[in-house]
Short mmCIF file of all heavy atoms in Angstrom, two decimals:
data_model
loop_
_atom_site.label_atom_id
_atom_site.label_comp_id
_atom_site.label_asym_id
_atom_site.label_seq_id
_atom_site.Cartn_x
_atom_site.Cartn_y
_atom_site.Cartn_z
N ILE A 1 55.05 146.19 157.87
CA ILE A 1 54.21 145.01 157.68
C ILE A 1 54.07 144.68 156.20
O ILE A 1 54.13 143.51 155.83
CB ILE A 1 52.83 145.22 158.34
CG1 ILE A 1 52.97 145.19 159.85
CG2 ILE A 1 51.85 144.17 157.86
CD1 ILE A 1 51.68 145.37 160.59
N ALA A 2 53.91 145.68 155.35
CA ALA A 2 53.71 145.42 153.92
C ALA A 2 54.93 144.74 153.30
O ALA A 2 54.79 143.81 152.50
CB ALA A 2 53.38 146.71 153.20
N THR A 3 56.12 145.19 153.67
CA THR A 3 57.34 144.58 153.11
C THR A 3 57.45 143.13 153.55
O THR A 3 57.76 142.25 152.74
CB THR A 3 58.59 145.37 153.54
OG1 THR A 3 58.45 146.72 153.08
CG2 THR A 3 59.85 144.77 152.95
N GLU A 4 57.20 142.86 154.83
CA GLU A 4 57.26 141.49 155.33
C GLU A 4 56.21 140.60 154.66
O GLU A 4 56.49 139.44 154.34
CB GLU A 4 57.10 141.45 156.85
CG GLU A 4 58.37 141.78 157.58
CD GLU A 4 59.52 140.86 157.19
OE1 GLU A 4 59.36 139.62 157.20
OE2 GLU A 4 60.59 141.39 156.86
N THR A 5 55.03 141.13 154.44
CA THR A 5 53.97 140.36 153.77
C THR A 5 54.37 140.03 152.34
O THR A 5 54.20 138.89 151.89
CB THR A 5 52.65 141.15 153.79
OG1 THR A 5 52.29 141.42 155.16
CG2 THR A 5 51.53 140.38 153.12
N ALA A 6 54.90 141.02 151.62
CA ALA A 6 55.34 140.78 150.24
C ALA A 6 56.48 139.76 150.20
O ALA A 6 56.51 138.90 149.31
CB ALA A 6 55.77 142.10 149.60
N LYS A 7 57.38 139.86 151.15
CA LYS A 7 58.49 138.91 151.23
C LYS A 7 57.99 137.49 151.49
O LYS A 7 58.45 136.53 150.86
CB LYS A 7 59.44 139.35 152.35
CG LYS A 7 60.73 138.61 152.42
CD LYS A 7 61.55 139.21 153.57
CE LYS A 7 63.00 138.89 153.41
NZ LYS A 7 63.80 139.51 154.47
N MET A 8 57.02 137.35 152.38
CA MET A 8 56.44 136.04 152.67
C MET A 8 55.70 135.49 151.45
O MET A 8 55.81 134.30 151.14
CB MET A 8 55.50 136.13 153.88
CG MET A 8 56.22 136.31 155.19
SD MET A 8 55.13 136.63 156.61
CE MET A 8 54.02 135.26 156.52
N PHE A 9 54.96 136.34 150.75
CA PHE A 9 54.24 135.90 149.57
C PHE A 9 55.21 135.41 148.49
O PHE A 9 55.01 134.35 147.90
CB PHE A 9 53.37 137.02 149.00
CG PHE A 9 52.70 136.64 147.71
CD1 PHE A 9 51.59 135.84 147.71
CD2 PHE A 9 53.23 137.06 146.51
CE1 PHE A 9 50.99 135.45 146.52
CE2 PHE A 9 52.65 136.68 145.31
CZ PHE A 9 51.53 135.88 145.31
N ALA A 10 56.28 136.18 148.25
CA ALA A 10 57.27 135.78 147.24
C ALA A 10 57.92 134.45 147.64
O ALA A 10 58.10 133.56 146.81
CB ALA A 10 58.31 136.87 147.07
N GLY A 11 58.27 134.32 148.90
CA GLY A 11 58.85 133.06 149.39
C GLY A 11 57.91 131.89 149.18
O GLY A 11 58.33 130.81 148.75
N TRP A 12 56.64 132.09 149.46
CA TRP A 12 55.64 131.04 149.24
C TRP A 12 55.53 130.69 147.76
O TRP A 12 55.48 129.51 147.40
CB TRP A 12 54.29 131.52 149.79
CG TRP A 12 53.16 130.60 149.47
CD1 TRP A 12 52.87 129.41 150.07
CD2 TRP A 12 52.17 130.80 148.47
NE1 TRP A 12 51.74 128.86 149.50
CE2 TRP A 12 51.30 129.70 148.50
CE3 TRP A 12 51.94 131.81 147.54
CZ2 TRP A 12 50.22 129.58 147.65
CZ3 TRP A 12 50.86 131.69 146.69
CH2 TRP A 12 50.01 130.58 146.74
N ALA A 13 55.51 131.71 146.89
CA ALA A 13 55.40 131.47 145.44
C ALA A 13 56.60 130.67 144.95
O ALA A 13 56.45 129.74 144.14
CB ALA A 13 55.29 132.79 144.70
N PHE A 14 57.80 130.99 145.44
CA PHE A 14 59.00 130.29 145.01
C PHE A 14 59.07 128.87 145.59
O PHE A 14 59.42 127.93 144.87
CB PHE A 14 60.26 131.07 145.39
CG PHE A 14 60.41 132.37 144.65
CD1 PHE A 14 60.89 133.50 145.29
CD2 PHE A 14 60.09 132.47 143.30
CE1 PHE A 14 61.05 134.70 144.62
CE2 PHE A 14 60.25 133.67 142.62
CZ PHE A 14 60.73 134.78 143.28
N GLU A 15 58.75 128.73 146.84
CA GLU A 15 58.89 127.43 147.50
C GLU A 15 57.70 126.50 147.25
O GLU A 15 57.88 125.39 146.77
CB GLU A 15 59.12 127.62 149.00
CG GLU A 15 60.37 128.39 149.34
CD GLU A 15 61.63 127.77 148.74
OE1 GLU A 15 61.78 126.53 148.80
OE2 GLU A 15 62.47 128.53 148.22
N ALA A 16 56.52 126.94 147.59
CA ALA A 16 55.34 126.07 147.49
C ALA A 16 54.88 125.86 146.05
O ALA A 16 54.48 124.75 145.68
CB ALA A 16 54.19 126.64 148.33
N LEU A 17 54.93 126.91 145.27
CA LEU A 17 54.44 126.81 143.89
C LEU A 17 55.54 126.55 142.87
O LEU A 17 55.26 126.38 141.69
CB LEU A 17 53.68 128.09 143.51
CG LEU A 17 52.48 128.43 144.38
CD1 LEU A 17 51.84 129.73 143.92
CD2 LEU A 17 51.47 127.29 144.36
N LYS A 18 56.79 126.57 143.34
CA LYS A 18 57.95 126.32 142.48
C LYS A 18 58.05 127.31 141.32
O LYS A 18 58.53 126.98 140.24
CB LYS A 18 57.94 124.89 141.95
CG LYS A 18 57.79 123.82 143.00
CD LYS A 18 58.98 123.80 143.91
CE LYS A 18 58.85 122.63 144.89
NZ LYS A 18 59.38 122.91 146.18
N MET A 19 57.60 128.53 141.55
CA MET A 19 57.68 129.56 140.51
C MET A 19 59.13 130.03 140.39
O MET A 19 59.86 130.03 141.37
CB MET A 19 56.75 130.72 140.83
CG MET A 19 55.29 130.34 140.83
SD MET A 19 54.21 131.71 141.26
CE MET A 19 54.20 132.57 139.71
N GLU A 20 59.51 130.43 139.22
CA GLU A 20 60.85 130.96 138.98
C GLU A 20 60.85 132.49 139.01
O GLU A 20 61.90 133.10 139.18
CB GLU A 20 61.38 130.49 137.62
CG GLU A 20 61.62 129.00 137.58
CD GLU A 20 62.71 128.55 138.56
OE1 GLU A 20 63.71 129.26 138.72
OE2 GLU A 20 62.52 127.48 139.18
N LYS A 21 59.66 133.10 138.82
CA LYS A 21 59.57 134.56 138.74
C LYS A 21 58.23 135.01 139.32
O LYS A 21 57.20 134.39 139.10
CB LYS A 21 59.68 135.01 137.28
CG LYS A 21 59.49 136.49 137.08
CD LYS A 21 59.68 136.89 135.62
CE LYS A 21 58.50 136.51 134.78
NZ LYS A 21 58.58 137.04 133.41
N VAL A 22 58.27 136.11 140.06
CA VAL A 22 57.06 136.79 140.53
C VAL A 22 57.03 138.14 139.83
O VAL A 22 58.02 138.88 139.85
CB VAL A 22 57.07 136.97 142.07
CG1 VAL A 22 55.92 137.84 142.52
CG2 VAL A 22 57.04 135.62 142.76
N THR A 23 55.90 138.44 139.20
CA THR A 23 55.74 139.72 138.51
C THR A 23 54.81 140.60 139.32
O THR A 23 53.75 140.15 139.76
CB THR A 23 55.16 139.50 137.10
OG1 THR A 23 56.03 138.63 136.37
CG2 THR A 23 55.02 140.81 136.36
N MET A 24 55.22 141.85 139.52
CA MET A 24 54.41 142.81 140.24
C MET A 24 53.98 143.91 139.28
O MET A 24 54.82 144.47 138.57
CB MET A 24 55.22 143.41 141.39
CG MET A 24 55.56 142.41 142.45
SD MET A 24 56.87 142.99 143.54
CE MET A 24 58.20 141.95 142.98
N ARG A 25 52.71 144.20 139.24
CA ARG A 25 52.16 145.26 138.39
C ARG A 25 51.70 146.38 139.32
O ARG A 25 50.77 146.20 140.11
CB ARG A 25 50.98 144.70 137.59
CG ARG A 25 50.45 145.67 136.58
CD ARG A 25 49.45 144.97 135.69
NE ARG A 25 48.16 144.89 136.37
CZ ARG A 25 47.06 144.50 135.78
NH1 ARG A 25 47.07 144.13 134.53
NH2 ARG A 25 45.94 144.47 136.44
N ILE A 26 52.37 147.54 139.23
CA ILE A 26 52.16 148.62 140.20
C ILE A 26 51.82 149.92 139.48
O ILE A 26 52.45 150.28 138.50
CB ILE A 26 53.43 148.82 141.06
CG1 ILE A 26 53.81 147.51 141.76
CG2 ILE A 26 53.22 149.94 142.07
CD1 ILE A 26 55.15 147.55 142.47
N TRP A 27 50.85 150.61 140.00
CA TRP A 27 50.49 151.94 139.50
C TRP A 27 51.67 152.87 139.76
O TRP A 27 52.21 152.91 140.89
CB TRP A 27 49.23 152.37 140.23
CG TRP A 27 48.64 153.67 139.84
CD1 TRP A 27 48.50 154.17 138.57
CD2 TRP A 27 48.08 154.65 140.72
NE1 TRP A 27 47.89 155.38 138.61
CE2 TRP A 27 47.62 155.71 139.93
CE3 TRP A 27 47.93 154.74 142.08
CZ2 TRP A 27 47.02 156.84 140.46
CZ3 TRP A 27 47.32 155.86 142.60
CH2 TRP A 27 46.88 156.89 141.79
N PRO A 28 52.16 153.62 138.76
CA PRO A 28 53.37 154.44 138.92
C PRO A 28 53.33 155.44 140.07
O PRO A 28 54.38 155.77 140.63
CB PRO A 28 53.50 155.17 137.58
CG PRO A 28 52.76 154.34 136.61
CD PRO A 28 51.64 153.70 137.40
N GLU A 29 52.16 155.92 140.43
CA GLU A 29 52.04 156.89 141.52
C GLU A 29 52.09 156.23 142.90
O GLU A 29 52.16 156.92 143.91
CB GLU A 29 50.75 157.70 141.38
CG GLU A 29 50.81 158.73 140.26
CD GLU A 29 50.60 158.13 138.87
OE1 GLU A 29 50.19 156.96 138.76
OE2 GLU A 29 50.89 158.83 137.89
N ASN A 30 52.07 154.90 142.95
CA ASN A 30 52.08 154.18 144.22
C ASN A 30 53.54 153.98 144.66
O ASN A 30 54.11 152.89 144.56
CB ASN A 30 51.35 152.85 144.07
CG ASN A 30 51.14 152.16 145.40
OD1 ASN A 30 51.82 152.45 146.38
ND2 ASN A 30 50.21 151.22 145.42
N LEU A 31 54.13 155.05 145.16
CA LEU A 31 55.55 155.05 145.50
C LEU A 31 55.88 154.07 146.63
O LEU A 31 56.97 153.49 146.65
CB LEU A 31 56.01 156.46 145.85
CG LEU A 31 55.82 157.50 144.74
CD1 LEU A 31 56.29 158.87 145.21
CD2 LEU A 31 56.53 157.08 143.47
N ALA A 32 54.96 153.85 147.54
CA ALA A 32 55.20 152.92 148.64
C ALA A 32 55.35 151.49 148.11
O ALA A 32 56.27 150.77 148.51
CB ALA A 32 54.07 152.99 149.66
N SER A 33 54.50 151.09 147.18
CA SER A 33 54.60 149.74 146.61
C SER A 33 55.85 149.59 145.75
O SER A 33 56.48 148.53 145.75
CB SER A 33 53.36 149.41 145.78
OG SER A 33 52.24 149.26 146.63
N ILE A 34 56.22 150.63 145.04
CA ILE A 34 57.46 150.60 144.25
C ILE A 34 58.66 150.43 145.18
O ILE A 34 59.58 149.65 144.90
CB ILE A 34 57.58 151.85 143.36
CG1 ILE A 34 56.54 151.77 142.24
CG2 ILE A 34 58.99 152.01 142.80
CD1 ILE A 34 56.41 153.03 141.40
N ALA A 35 58.64 151.14 146.30
CA ALA A 35 59.73 151.02 147.28
C ALA A 35 59.82 149.59 147.83
O ALA A 35 60.92 149.05 148.00
CB ALA A 35 59.55 152.02 148.41
N ILE A 36 58.68 148.97 148.08
CA ILE A 36 58.67 147.59 148.58
C ILE A 36 59.24 146.65 147.53
O ILE A 36 60.07 145.79 147.83
CB ILE A 36 57.24 147.17 148.98
CG1 ILE A 36 56.83 147.90 150.25
CG2 ILE A 36 57.15 145.66 149.18
CD1 ILE A 36 55.37 147.76 150.60
N ALA A 37 58.82 146.80 146.28
CA ALA A 37 59.35 145.95 145.20
C ALA A 37 60.87 146.06 145.13
O ALA A 37 61.57 145.05 145.02
CB ALA A 37 58.70 146.33 143.87
N LYS A 38 61.36 147.27 145.21
CA LYS A 38 62.82 147.49 145.14
C LYS A 38 63.52 146.90 146.36
O LYS A 38 64.60 146.33 146.25
CB LYS A 38 63.13 148.97 145.00
CG LYS A 38 62.76 149.51 143.62
CD LYS A 38 63.06 150.99 143.51
CE LYS A 38 62.74 151.49 142.10
NZ LYS A 38 63.01 152.93 141.98
N LYS A 39 62.89 147.03 147.54
CA LYS A 39 63.47 146.47 148.76
C LYS A 39 63.60 144.96 148.67
O LYS A 39 64.54 144.36 149.20
CB LYS A 39 62.56 146.80 149.96
CG LYS A 39 63.20 147.64 151.01
CD LYS A 39 62.28 147.75 152.19
CE LYS A 39 62.20 149.19 152.62
NZ LYS A 39 61.40 149.38 153.81
N LEU A 40 62.66 144.33 147.97
CA LEU A 40 62.70 142.88 147.81
C LEU A 40 63.75 142.45 146.78
O LEU A 40 64.02 141.27 146.64
CB LEU A 40 61.33 142.36 147.37
CG LEU A 40 60.20 142.47 148.37
CD1 LEU A 40 58.90 141.95 147.78
CD2 LEU A 40 60.53 141.71 149.65
N GLY A 41 64.27 143.41 146.04
CA GLY A 41 65.27 143.08 145.03
C GLY A 41 64.70 142.92 143.64
O GLY A 41 65.39 142.46 142.73
N ALA A 42 63.44 143.30 143.46
CA ALA A 42 62.82 143.19 142.13
C ALA A 42 63.40 144.25 141.21
O ALA A 42 63.77 145.34 141.65
CB ALA A 42 61.30 143.37 142.24
N ARG A 43 63.49 143.91 139.93
CA ARG A 43 63.98 144.88 138.95
C ARG A 43 62.82 145.40 138.12
O ARG A 43 61.88 144.66 137.83
CB ARG A 43 65.06 144.29 138.06
CG ARG A 43 64.57 143.27 137.08
CD ARG A 43 65.65 142.96 136.03
NE ARG A 43 65.10 142.18 134.96
CZ ARG A 43 64.50 142.68 133.88
NH1 ARG A 43 64.37 143.97 133.73
NH2 ARG A 43 64.00 141.89 132.95
N GLU A 44 62.90 146.66 137.77
CA GLU A 44 61.86 147.27 136.94
C GLU A 44 61.97 146.71 135.53
O GLU A 44 63.03 146.75 134.91
CB GLU A 44 62.00 148.79 136.93
CG GLU A 44 60.85 149.47 136.25
CD GLU A 44 60.89 150.98 136.38
OE1 GLU A 44 61.44 151.48 137.38
OE2 GLU A 44 60.35 151.65 135.48
N ALA A 45 60.86 146.17 135.04
CA ALA A 45 60.86 145.53 133.73
C ALA A 45 60.29 146.43 132.64
O ALA A 45 60.55 146.22 131.46
CB ALA A 45 60.06 144.22 133.78
N GLY A 46 59.51 147.42 133.02
CA GLY A 46 58.98 148.33 132.01
C GLY A 46 57.67 148.97 132.43
O GLY A 46 57.08 148.63 133.45
N LEU A 47 57.24 149.89 131.58
CA LEU A 47 55.99 150.62 131.79
C LEU A 47 55.00 150.20 130.72
O LEU A 47 55.32 150.22 129.53
CB LEU A 47 56.23 152.13 131.71
CG LEU A 47 54.99 153.01 131.80
CD1 LEU A 47 54.40 152.97 133.20
CD2 LEU A 47 55.34 154.44 131.41
N ALA A 48 53.83 149.79 131.13
CA ALA A 48 52.77 149.43 130.19
C ALA A 48 51.72 150.54 130.23
O ALA A 48 51.11 150.80 131.27
CB ALA A 48 52.15 148.09 130.57
N LYS A 49 51.55 151.20 129.11
CA LYS A 49 50.60 152.31 129.01
C LYS A 49 49.17 151.76 128.94
O LYS A 49 48.92 150.77 128.27
CB LYS A 49 50.88 153.14 127.76
CG LYS A 49 52.30 153.71 127.70
CD LYS A 49 52.58 154.69 128.78
CE LYS A 49 52.14 156.06 128.35
NZ LYS A 49 52.38 157.07 129.36
N ARG A 50 48.26 152.44 129.67
CA ARG A 50 46.83 152.11 129.63
C ARG A 50 46.59 150.60 129.84
O ARG A 50 45.88 149.96 129.09
CB ARG A 50 46.22 152.59 128.32
CG ARG A 50 46.35 154.10 128.14
CD ARG A 50 45.95 154.58 126.77
NE ARG A 50 44.63 154.12 126.35
CZ ARG A 50 43.48 154.76 126.56
NH1 ARG A 50 43.48 155.91 127.19
NH2 ARG A 50 42.35 154.25 126.14
N ASP A 51 47.19 150.06 130.87
CA ASP A 51 47.24 148.62 131.11
C ASP A 51 46.21 148.13 132.12
O ASP A 51 45.97 146.94 132.23
CB ASP A 51 48.65 148.25 131.60
CG ASP A 51 48.88 146.77 131.67
OD1 ASP A 51 48.66 146.10 130.66
OD2 ASP A 51 49.29 146.29 132.74
N PHE A 52 45.61 149.03 132.87
CA PHE A 52 44.73 148.63 133.97
C PHE A 52 43.52 149.55 134.00
O PHE A 52 43.66 150.76 133.92
CB PHE A 52 45.51 148.73 135.29
CG PHE A 52 44.69 148.45 136.51
CD1 PHE A 52 44.42 147.15 136.89
CD2 PHE A 52 44.19 149.48 137.28
CE1 PHE A 52 43.66 146.88 138.01
CE2 PHE A 52 43.43 149.22 138.42
CZ PHE A 52 43.17 147.91 138.78
N ARG A 53 42.34 148.98 134.09
CA ARG A 53 41.12 149.79 134.16
C ARG A 53 40.73 149.98 135.63
O ARG A 53 40.54 149.02 136.36
CB ARG A 53 39.98 149.14 133.40
CG ARG A 53 38.78 150.07 133.28
CD ARG A 53 37.72 149.52 132.34
NE ARG A 53 38.18 149.35 131.00
CZ ARG A 53 38.24 150.31 130.07
NH1 ARG A 53 37.91 151.54 130.38
NH2 ARG A 53 38.66 150.05 128.84
N SER A 54 40.61 151.23 136.03
CA SER A 54 40.24 151.55 137.41
C SER A 54 38.75 151.31 137.62
O SER A 54 38.00 151.10 136.65
CB SER A 54 40.59 153.01 137.73
OG SER A 54 39.78 153.87 136.95
N LEU A 55 38.32 151.36 138.86
CA LEU A 55 36.91 151.14 139.16
C LEU A 55 36.00 152.18 138.50
O LEU A 55 34.85 151.90 138.20
CB LEU A 55 36.68 151.15 140.68
CG LEU A 55 37.28 149.97 141.44
CD1 LEU A 55 37.10 150.16 142.94
CD2 LEU A 55 36.69 148.66 140.99
N ASP A 56 36.55 153.38 138.27
CA ASP A 56 35.74 154.41 137.62
C ASP A 56 35.88 154.40 136.09
O ASP A 56 35.41 155.30 135.41
CB ASP A 56 36.05 155.80 138.19
CG ASP A 56 37.48 156.25 137.92
OD1 ASP A 56 38.23 155.55 137.22
OD2 ASP A 56 37.84 157.33 138.43
N GLY A 57 36.55 153.38 135.56
CA GLY A 57 36.61 153.19 134.12
C GLY A 57 37.82 153.78 133.42
O GLY A 57 38.00 153.58 132.21
N ARG A 58 38.67 154.52 134.14
CA ARG A 58 39.86 155.10 133.51
C ARG A 58 40.90 154.02 133.23
O ARG A 58 41.04 153.08 134.00
CB ARG A 58 40.49 156.16 134.42
CG ARG A 58 39.63 157.37 134.64
CD ARG A 58 40.27 158.37 135.60
NE ARG A 58 40.43 157.73 136.91
CZ ARG A 58 41.52 157.83 137.67
NH1 ARG A 58 42.55 158.55 137.28
NH2 ARG A 58 41.58 157.23 138.84
N LEU A 59 41.63 154.17 132.13
CA LEU A 59 42.74 153.27 131.84
C LEU A 59 44.02 153.89 132.39
O LEU A 59 44.35 155.04 132.09
CB LEU A 59 42.87 153.04 130.33
CG LEU A 59 41.83 152.10 129.75
CD1 LEU A 59 41.89 152.11 128.24
CD2 LEU A 59 42.03 150.69 130.28
N LEU A 60 44.72 153.13 133.23
CA LEU A 60 45.91 153.62 133.92
C LEU A 60 47.16 152.88 133.46
O LEU A 60 47.10 151.72 133.05
CB LEU A 60 45.75 153.42 135.43
CG LEU A 60 44.50 154.04 136.06
CD1 LEU A 60 44.39 153.62 137.52
CD2 LEU A 60 44.51 155.54 135.92
N ASP A 61 48.28 153.56 133.55
CA ASP A 61 49.57 152.93 133.26
C ASP A 61 49.96 152.05 134.45
O ASP A 61 49.52 152.26 135.58
CB ASP A 61 50.65 154.00 133.08
CG ASP A 61 50.36 154.95 131.93
OD1 ASP A 61 49.50 154.63 131.09
OD2 ASP A 61 51.01 156.01 131.89
N CYS A 62 50.81 151.07 134.19
CA CYS A 62 51.36 150.22 135.24
C CYS A 62 52.85 150.02 135.02
O CYS A 62 53.30 149.87 133.89
CB CYS A 62 50.68 148.83 135.25
SG CYS A 62 49.03 148.86 135.88
N VAL A 63 53.59 150.01 136.11
CA VAL A 63 55.01 149.66 136.06
C VAL A 63 55.11 148.19 136.44
O VAL A 63 54.49 147.74 137.42
CB VAL A 63 55.84 150.52 137.06
CG1 VAL A 63 57.30 150.14 136.99
CG2 VAL A 63 55.65 151.99 136.79
N TYR A 64 55.86 147.44 135.67
CA TYR A 64 56.08 146.02 135.96
C TYR A 64 57.43 145.84 136.62
O TYR A 64 58.43 146.40 136.17
CB TYR A 64 56.01 145.20 134.67
CG TYR A 64 54.60 144.90 134.25
CD1 TYR A 64 53.83 145.85 133.61
CD2 TYR A 64 54.02 143.67 134.52
CE1 TYR A 64 52.52 145.60 133.23
CE2 TYR A 64 52.72 143.40 134.14
CZ TYR A 64 51.98 144.35 133.51
OH TYR A 64 50.69 144.10 133.13
N PHE A 65 57.44 145.03 137.69
CA PHE A 65 58.67 144.65 138.37
C PHE A 65 58.74 143.13 138.35
O PHE A 65 57.71 142.44 138.46
CB PHE A 65 58.66 145.12 139.82
CG PHE A 65 58.95 146.59 139.98
CD1 PHE A 65 57.95 147.53 139.86
CD2 PHE A 65 60.24 147.03 140.22
CE1 PHE A 65 58.20 148.88 139.99
CE2 PHE A 65 60.52 148.37 140.35
CZ PHE A 65 59.50 149.31 140.24
N GLU A 66 59.96 142.59 138.23
CA GLU A 66 60.16 141.14 138.23
C GLU A 66 61.12 140.77 139.34
O GLU A 66 62.15 141.41 139.53
CB GLU A 66 60.74 140.69 136.89
CG GLU A 66 59.80 140.94 135.74
CD GLU A 66 60.43 140.64 134.39
OE1 GLU A 66 61.67 140.70 134.27
OE2 GLU A 66 59.67 140.37 133.47
N LEU A 67 60.75 139.72 140.06
CA LEU A 67 61.60 139.18 141.12
C LEU A 67 61.85 137.72 140.78
O LEU A 67 60.91 136.95 140.60
CB LEU A 67 60.89 139.31 142.48
CG LEU A 67 61.64 138.79 143.69
CD1 LEU A 67 62.92 139.58 143.91
CD2 LEU A 67 60.74 138.84 144.93
N TYR A 68 63.11 137.36 140.66
CA TYR A 68 63.48 136.00 140.30
C TYR A 68 63.93 135.23 141.52
O TYR A 68 64.44 135.80 142.48
CB TYR A 68 64.61 136.00 139.25
CG TYR A 68 64.13 136.49 137.91
CD1 TYR A 68 64.17 137.84 137.60
CD2 TYR A 68 63.63 135.60 136.98
CE1 TYR A 68 63.70 138.30 136.37
CE2 TYR A 68 63.17 136.04 135.75
CZ TYR A 68 63.21 137.38 135.47
OH TYR A 68 62.74 137.84 134.26
N ARG A 69 63.74 133.92 141.47
CA ARG A 69 64.12 133.01 142.53
C ARG A 69 65.55 133.25 142.95
O ARG A 69 66.42 133.55 142.28
CB ARG A 69 63.95 131.58 142.03
CG ARG A 69 64.32 130.53 143.03
CD ARG A 69 64.18 129.17 142.42
NE ARG A 69 62.80 128.76 142.33
CZ ARG A 69 62.15 128.10 143.30
NH1 ARG A 69 62.77 127.83 144.42
NH2 ARG A 69 60.91 127.75 143.18
#
């Protein structure tokens, strides 16, 4: 279900919003989301250190993936 939802969202962003690129920001330990990004054909764009603040205040790294039209 998650892969199909992500695929539908990307399709909507490209078609309805006329976007050329969808960027995904994923916590490196979230292997399921990374697998979905790769399944969609997104390429890993890089790692941003201390890029996201968690609910408990910790700064976490994020992996960026890009999916082009």
Side-chain angles (χ1 to χ4, degrees):
I1 289 180
T3 301
E4 279 304 310
T5 301
K7 189 178 200 177
M8 288 173 55
F9 175 79
W12 173 77
F14 292 141
E15 298 304 317
L17 301 179
K18 308 294 185 214
M19 296 178 79
E20 293 297 321
K21 175 177 76 172
V22 172
T23 302
M24 294 164 252
R25 187 171 80 170
I26 303 171
W27 183 42
E29 286 79 12
N30 189 340
L31 301 179
S33 291
I34 289 172
I36 289 170
K38 289 179 177 179
K39 242 187 227 183
L40 293 178
R43 70 168 191 87
E44 188 173 332
L47 175 69
K49 303 295 274 180
R50 300 172 52 90
D51 189 54
F52 176 80
R53 189 171 298 278
S54 67
L55 292 175
D56 64 4
R58 294 177 298 136
L59 284 171
L60 304 174
D61 300 344
C62 287
V63 180
Y64 279 79
F65 283 85
E66 296 174 335
L67 180 63
Y68 290 89
R69 180 183 284 271

